[in-house]
Amino acid sequence: MEIFPVVDDGGKVIGEATRDKCHSGSFLLHPVVHCVIINSKGEWLLQLRSMDKSIQPGKWDTSVGGHVQAGESVQNALLREIEEEVGIKVEIDRCEYLHEYSMRSAVEAEYVYSYRMTCDEGFVKQDSEIAELKFFSIDEIREKIGSGVFTPNFEDEFSRVVSSNP
């Protein structure tokens, strides 16, 4: 059973809850990590979520995203998720902190810690969660925003990153 920290609006841990409780419509705010991976050509690596995922199956999403576990640091969660989801082992100094914010969906509330890194190759997708990994140009992403091919979380993340780094 996965246990997540529950945090306040500033990201401070105030309790714990199970994954099921956090994703049940309780809207307990729990921390997640995102990492936008961009190659040397400026293209964004996106993951196509497996059809087996309970939330947003079959949609393109941020390069790496996952939950912080109870007792785990944000940085350790980030490095663990990068290795699990795209198969590369990196040191924290390769990851640039971007921002943090609260995001609410129809079933949950997440406190997002967002990072970015540059990497061109060596990716191995996590077959149990990811159907495909693919690089998209910023123009390709902009053309598809609002068409339903991306997760709402990715569209929000994209707008935050692009607006802060035009």
Side-chain angles (χ1 to χ4, degrees), residues 83-102:
E83 187 172 6
E84 285 177 5
E85 292 196 351
V86 297
I88 55 175
K89 190 170 181 70
V90 298
E91 298 296 324
I92 196 65
D93 61 354
R94 291 257 329 260
C95 303
E96 174 192 359
Y97 170 82
L98 296 175
H99 45 250
E100 55 196 74
Y101 59 94
S102 295

Side-chain angles (χ1 to χ4, degrees), residues 3-76:
I3 305 292
F4 299 156
V6 174
V7 298
D8 65 15
D9 290 331
K12 181 181 176 212
V13 176
I14 57 172
E16 294 181 349
T18 64
R19 170 189 280 271
D20 290 345
K21 179 75 173 170
C22 289
H23 290 182
S24 68
S26 67
F27 298 103
L28 291 172
L29 191 60
H30 57 286
V32 299
V33 291
H34 287 180
C35 186
V36 175
I37 298 175
I38 300 174
N39 68 17
S40 56
K41 294 188 262 182
E43 298 168 322
W44 290 43
L45 181 71
L46 300 185
Q47 62 164 276
L48 182 61
R49 295 173 62 82
S50 163
M51 291 304 290
D52 296 331
K53 297 292 282 180
S54 60
I55 297 174
Q56 300 293 329
K59 294 199 175 186
W60 290 99
D61 203 357
T62 304
S63 313
V64 172
H67 292 89
V68 177
Q69 303 293 317
E72 182 178 40
S73 73
V74 170
Q75 292 81 10
N76 284 346

Side-chain angles (χ1 to χ4, degrees), residues 100-166:
E100 55 196 74
Y101 59 94
S102 295
M103 176 79 180
R104 182 180 282 257
S105 75
V107 296
E108 66 178 333
E110 296 178 331
Y111 192 84
V112 181
Y113 292 89
S114 185
Y115 292 80
R116 172 179 49 210
M117 67 179 256
T118 301
C119 190
D120 285 291
E121 57 188 38
F123 305 109
V124 178
K125 70 179 178 66
Q126 182 182 27
D127 288 334
S128 62
E129 293 190 20
I130 300 171
E132 184 180 348
L133 292 171
K134 179 181 169 186
F135 279 104
F136 289 78
S137 72
I138 288 181
D139 288 341
E140 288 174 302
I141 294 169
R142 284 187 173 129
E143 287 171 11
K144 292 177 171 64
I145 291 281
S147 70
V149 301
F150 300 125
T151 66
N153 289 22
F154 170 73
E155 290 188 359
D156 181 72
E157 185 77 30
F158 179 78
S159 70
R160 289 173 188 271
V161 173
V162 170
S163 69
S164 66
N165 296 291

